[in-house]
């Protein structure tokens, strides 16, 4: 009887610990995500206590709304296909080739992903619009076509494919493909029959992630699309902030929510398949120096792509911020324009840093607890389902979340409309999933027997975490904090609604400057975007120094 009690107690203690770990993340997402989203949807689609389902049909039947749905889906599919086409050769080069400057180039490739979408949109606006380098290319105004949006999406998501697919490609044993060639298969046949099936789950996961990011694109389309092109995210913002039609915005939010839920469900399935179906090797054993003219030519083509697609837009952004002599655009940031800002635009940098620090602390706390609960191998379906729910803030309209904060958090005991904490709370919602994705693979690699042994010896759950998990995941925790910080700095969709006029963040300040005519405002937007880019690049540099191969891709 004592033996049975000894065997059952750790299991029961583990279940209690898991529930305790999940309590705070569940409460956080329920109060600051589910409740605001539900509040704004209910405000829009209910009248006099009754659901107006006919309104949903009427909105979706409108020609303008059908065009928005079509363009949102079409540009996401086109952006995903174009990203895969351009980035897959890069994934192969980073996975299989060892060449001088490889680690530096890897960091350069990752910079666009951590940049705020406002900076990405501004960089391509500097490249193709208002007298940019390719303002008029072969008689085509790129800033008035969808190509600028598609290329900006490729710029932003190139690292997603390189890291997700390349990370797995580097761990595939090349001897399997070599064995197929020894048996008489040509190089293409061996790759198609051996390597491609092994890579398929990673390619599918990367494609779904790119599709999700582009399907919910806001900052890039808002800046580059103008009044001609509008995604669901942009249209939700327009309906709420310009037209004040909450009913239409709510219907579009429901459509986006359903679509994102389906995408995340498929993505979770592909990730589980990728994790369970392969036998991997040490990546350091698979990379080698390029050999032959064809391999050097492929390396050169990838380097040229990185230079033209990833480096050139950022270089032009910096150059446009320095167009005025004597750093005039940067000096203008210290002055107050009463018609645009209540404070000097440079104060937005201080605000952004303060908000990002608080948001990072919240995201790390919530994300770490959630990852610790999800990492246990005996987690049930309910816990695994919570894993998918954690990703929803990345796909649901950030504009809806921000507006939902104003609608839902306006009554005691949660009357936070006038509080500064609203901004870091919204930013933490977006940062927490990145913390989970970064820490979860490392936590799952911890031998469960170490935790069980500590529990049998009487250690409390807190002491088990402190003595067993923390020494192993400390570096991943720092990387997760860095990602949360970079993401918080660039959050725009929710912040544009809830940031107070006297406390704008950098992305909000950039958007305000771009919305006003005049070279001075345009130049200041370029200068602020450059500052934001440098801060994010420095944060990424620190992440790369801390990075290990056992941390998550993103």
């Amino acid at each position: 009887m004592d033996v049975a009690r000894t065997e059952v107690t750790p299991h029961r203690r583990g279940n209690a610990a898991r529930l305790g770990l999940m309590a705070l993340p569940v409460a956080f997402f329920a109060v600051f995500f589910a409740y605001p989203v539900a509040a704004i949807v209910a405000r829009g689609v209910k009248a006099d206590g009754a659901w107006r389902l006919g309104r949903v049909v009427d909105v979706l039947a409108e020609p303008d709304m059908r065009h928005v749905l079509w363009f949102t889906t079409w540009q996401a599919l086109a952006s995903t296909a174009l990203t895969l086409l351009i980035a897959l050769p890069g994934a192969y080069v980073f996975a299989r080739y060892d060449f001088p400057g490889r680690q530096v180039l890897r960091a350069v490739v990752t910079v666009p992903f951590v940049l705020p979408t406002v900076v990405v949109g501004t960089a391509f606006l500097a490249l193709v619009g208002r007298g940019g380098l390719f303002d008029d290319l072969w008689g085509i105004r790129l800033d008035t076509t969808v190509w600028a949006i598609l290329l900006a999406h490729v710029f932003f998501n190139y690292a997603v494919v390189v890291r997700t697919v390349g990370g797995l490609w580097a761990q595939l044993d090349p001897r399997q493909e070599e064995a197929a060639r020894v048996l008489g298969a040509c190089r293409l046949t061996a790759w198609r029959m051996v390597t491609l099936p092994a890579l398929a789950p990673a390619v599918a996961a990367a494609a779904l992630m790119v599709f999700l990011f582009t399907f919910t694109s806001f900052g890039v389309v808002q800046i580059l699309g103008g009044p001609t092109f509008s995604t669901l995210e942009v249209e939700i913002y327009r309906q709420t902030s310009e037209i004040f039609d909450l009913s239409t915005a709510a219907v579009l939010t429901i459509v986006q929510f359903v679509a994102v839920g389906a995408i995340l469900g498929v993505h979770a399935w592909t990730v589980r398949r990728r994790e369970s179906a392969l036998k991997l090797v040490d990546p350091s054993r698979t990379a080698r120096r390029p050999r032959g003219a064809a391999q050097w030519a492929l390396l050169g083509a990838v380097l040229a792509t990185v230079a033209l697609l990833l480096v050139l837009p950022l270089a032009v952004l910096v150059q446009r911020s320095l167009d005025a002599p004597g750093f005039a655009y940067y000096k203008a940031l210290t002055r107050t324009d009463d018609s645009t800002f209540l404070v000097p635009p440079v104060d937005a940098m201080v605000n952004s840093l303060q908000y990002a620090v608080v948001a990072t602390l919240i995201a790390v706390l919530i994300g770490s607890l959630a990852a610790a609960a999800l990492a246990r191998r005996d987690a049930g379906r309910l816990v695994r389902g919570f894993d998918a729910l954690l990703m929803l803030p990345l796909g649901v309209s950030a504009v809806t979340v921000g507006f939902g904060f104003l609608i839902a958090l306006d009554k005691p005991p949660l009357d936070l409309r006038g509080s500064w904490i609203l901004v870091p709370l919204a930013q933490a919602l977006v940062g927490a999933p990145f913390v989970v994705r970064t820490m979860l693979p490392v936590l799952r690699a911890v031998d469960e027997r170490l935790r069980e042994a500590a529990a049998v010896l009487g250690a409390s759950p807190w002491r088990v975490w402190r003595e067993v998990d923390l020494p192993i995941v400390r570096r991943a925790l720092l990387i997760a904090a860095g990602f949360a910080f970079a993401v918080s700095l660039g959050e725009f969709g929710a912040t544009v609604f809830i940031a107070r006029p006297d406390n704008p963040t950098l992305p909000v300040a950039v958007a305000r400057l771009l919305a006003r005519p005049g070279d001075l405002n345009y130049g200041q937007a370029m200068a602020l975007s450059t500052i934001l880019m440098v801060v994010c690049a420095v944060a990424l540099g620190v992440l790369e120094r801390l990075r290990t191969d056992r941390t998550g891709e993103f």
Side-chain angles (χ1 to χ4, degrees), residues 201-202 204-205 208 263-278 374 379-381 383-389 437 440 444:
L208 286 166
I263 296 169
L264 291 176
V266 177
H267 180 269
W269 178 79
T270 59
V271 169
R272 288 197 300 271
R273 181 184 172 192
R274 181 181 62 178
E275 291 178 346
S276 60
L278 300 173
L374 295 170
R381 287 187 176 182
V383 177
R384 291 196 298 269
F386 181 60
D387 186 14
L389 292 177
R437 295 271 71 81
L440 194 55
R444 282 175 174 167

Side-chain angles (χ1 to χ4, degrees), residues 220-232:
V220 168
V221 180
Q222 177 78 355
I223 291 174
L224 296 175
T228 306
F229 302 109
S230 180
T231 58
L232 275 171

